[in-house]
């Protein structure tokens, strides 16, 4: 692969320019028709001259359009910048705030030490930061839901579940609702996450919410437990601690389905490898090979009996007690 330094500059700048456009709600301001530079500056609270420079760059990238009369408009191809669009990328853009950028900017620290740069920069871990900042916490939750939407549909259609299931660290219950919609054989679904997360979720006759931490006893009785994109946020020691809590609550005849990327099984390993470096610098987590998963799972007292590919970067790793 030949890397052109100027293409590299554009890629880096485009990512941050899109974040700024999302933060200023530029797409929403243009959704119902063209606006002048002066109007956009007033709506966003930005300096008109520098806003014009941002818009000039984004127009060259066909993100926005500068009309002949000097106003700016939103092309149809950029509707995914709108938060309410079904394929919106805005939640993902906004959750990459300056703390995450700063952390990845100190990737060399993480490579040297094996520790997350985020903790070094801010004196606490990323999840503590989310607890302290409701705005960032909301942005993170929306981004995870956005990323998970298509994945959850694929999981609900490709993996078979029966009886009572539980999603550990399942956020707002999006995956469970899709499984309940697609699979009549599921009798009950349990959503387990932090109390402040599950208290916002509406229970139904088939969906039960339980608040708690997966680092503490779970006390969940289900035929299938799901851990989706949980273990990759944590170090091996922390991931093993989570698995020990699962083993303590799971029945011998029950199964655990770990839904994660597997580096040497993915169709798009370069994407997982990129995510791996982000996880290192921000969380201290990691994407894992099948051998690394097998080591963790065996140490926890579980054994892998089946692996099912779900998406180009996700697989379902089925486990039972040894």
């Amino acid at each position: 692969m030949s890397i052109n330094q100027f293409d590299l500059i554009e890629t880096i700048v485009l990512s941050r320019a899109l974040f700024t456009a999302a933060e200023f709600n530029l797409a929403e301001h243009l959704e119902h028709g063209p606006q002048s530079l002066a109007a956009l500056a007033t709506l966003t609270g930005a300096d008109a001259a520098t806003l014009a420079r941002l818009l000039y760059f984004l127009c060259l990238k066909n993100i926005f359009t500068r009309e002949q009369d000097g106003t700016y408009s939103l092309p149809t191809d950029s509707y995914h910048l709108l938060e309410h669009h079904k394929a919106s990328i805005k939640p993902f853009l906004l959750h990459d705030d300056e703390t995450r950028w700063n952390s990845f900017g100190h990737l060399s620290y993480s490579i040297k030490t094996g520790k997350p740069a985020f903790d070094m920069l801010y004196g606490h871990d990323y999840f503590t930061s989310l607890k302290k900042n409701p705005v960032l916490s909301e942005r993170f939750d929306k981004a995870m839901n956005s990323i998970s939407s298509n994945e959850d549909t694929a999981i609900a259609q490709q993996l078979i579940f029966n009886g009572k299931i539980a999603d550990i660290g399942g956020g707002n219950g999006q995956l469970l609702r899709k499984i309940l919609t697609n699979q009549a054989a599921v009798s009950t679904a349990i959503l387990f996450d932090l109390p402040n997360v599950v208290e916002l979720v509406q229970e139904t006759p088939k969906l039960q919410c339980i608040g708690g931490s997966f680092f503490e006893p779970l006390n969940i009785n289900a035929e299938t437990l799901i851990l989706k994109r949980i273990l990759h946020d944590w170090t091996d020691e922390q991931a093993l601690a989570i698995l020990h809590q699962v083993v303590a609550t799971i029945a011998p005849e029950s199964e655990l389905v770990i839904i994660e990327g597997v580096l040497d099984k993915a169709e798009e390993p370069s994407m997982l490898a990129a995510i791996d470096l982000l996880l290192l610098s921000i969380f201290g987590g990691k994407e894992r090979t099948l051998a690394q998963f097998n080591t963790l799972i065996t140490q926890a007292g579980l054994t892998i009996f089946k692996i099912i590919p779900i998406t180009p970067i996700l697989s379902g790793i089925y486990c039972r007690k040894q």
Side-chain angles (χ1 to χ4, degrees):
M1 175 183 177
S2 176
I3 299 176
N4 182 297
Q5 62 266 42
F6 296 110
D7 289 341
L8 185 61
I9 291 171
E10 281 195 43
T11 300
I12 294 170
V13 173
L14 177 60
S15 178
R16 208 60 193 154
L18 286 170
F19 171 90
T20 304
E23 194 170 44
F24 285 177
N25 296 312
L26 286 176
E28 281 79 6
H29 293 319
L30 297 174
E31 180 180 7
H32 301 296
Q35 296 276 6
S36 68
L37 175 63
L40 288 173
T42 299
L43 289 166
T44 60
D47 174 75
T50 46
L51 178 60
R53 292 161 66 179
L54 174 69
L55 287 165
Y56 179 71
F57 174 69
L58 291 175
C59 285
L60 290 173
K61 289 296 184 180
N62 299 314
I63 305 301
F64 301 114
T65 300
R66 191 171 191 271
E67 306 293 346
Q68 289 187 346
D69 62 0
T71 60
Y72 296 90
S73 62
L74 182 69
T76 304
D77 289 346
S78 293
Y79 279 10
H80 60 297
L81 289 173
L82 296 164
E83 187 160 358
H84 61 75
H85 191 272
K86 64 180 181 180
S88 177
I89 64 169
K90 184 174 181 178
F92 185 75
L93 286 171
L94 286 178
H95 100 295
D96 259 332
D97 72 303
E98 62 273 12
T99 64
R100 292 172 64 99
W101 269 72
N102 290 344
S103 299
F104 194 61
H106 287 78
L107 177 62
S108 58
Y109 168 85
S110 295
I111 298 297
K112 285 181 181 178
T113 66
K115 299 176 181 179
F118 188 98
D119 297 24
M120 178 271 293
L121 290 169
Y122 300 105
H124 52 255
D125 64 41
Y126 182 73
F127 291 108
T128 297
S129 182
L130 294 185
K131 290 177 184 177
K132 292 181 175 182
N133 192 321
V135 172
L136 290 185
S137 180
E138 182 181 8
R139 286 181 175 182
F140 178 79
D141 290 342
K142 286 182 176 180
M144 295 305 101
N145 291 336
S146 174
I147 293 169
S148 294
S149 181
N150 291 333
E151 291 178 347
D152 291 346
T153 298
I155 292 165
Q157 293 175 348
Q158 295 181 42
L159 303 186
I160 304 302
F161 300 97
N162 296 284
K164 181 185 279 190
I165 65 174
D167 189 2
I168 311 302
N172 68 356
Q174 176 177 259
L175 172 59
L176 289 178
R177 284 191 292 272
K178 292 196 175 185
I179 291 173
L180 288 169
T181 298
N182 283 272
Q183 303 194 28
V186 176
S187 61
T188 310
I190 299 171
L191 173 64
F192 182 93
D193 211 309
L194 294 171
N196 65 298
V197 175
V198 298
E199 70 182 8
L200 301 176
V201 178
Q202 181 70 44
E203 290 191 325
T204 70
K206 277 195 165 187
L207 179 62
Q208 174 190 356
C209 296
I210 298 177
S213 166
F214 44 54
F215 288 110
E216 299 171 357
L218 301 176
N219 297 320
I220 292 174
N221 178 26
E223 285 149 89
T224 302
L225 273 69
I226 301 168
L227 282 174
K228 176 177 180 276
R229 288 192 180 278
I230 298 298
L231 300 183
H232 79 166
D233 286 341
W234 305 95
T235 65
D236 286 342
E237 292 77 12
Q238 292 166 322
L240 185 58
I242 294 168
L243 288 172
H244 279 312
Q245 296 299 342
V246 172
V247 170
T249 198
I250 197 172
E253 66 277 9
S254 297
E255 60 189 31
L256 167 67
V257 183
I258 299 170
I259 300 173
E260 292 272 4
V262 182
L263 278 167
D264 50 348
K265 293 291 182 180
E267 291 179 32
E268 298 181 1
S270 62
M271 175 61 72
L272 275 183
I275 295 171
D276 177 59
L277 294 177
L278 289 171
L279 291 170
L280 169 63
S281 63
I282 297 169
F283 302 99
K286 63 196 295 187
E287 300 292 359
R288 294 176 171 89
T289 64
L290 181 57
Q292 290 171 324
F293 272 116
N294 192 55
T295 297
L296 267 182
I297 288 164
T298 301
Q299 288 176 343
L302 297 163
T303 184
I304 298 172
F305 70 91
K306 181 168 58 176
I307 299 176
I308 297 179
I310 303 169
T311 73
I313 62 171
L314 275 187
S315 295
I317 305 171
Y318 285 71
C319 310
R320 290 196 183 108
K321 278 189 173 180
Q322 292 173 1

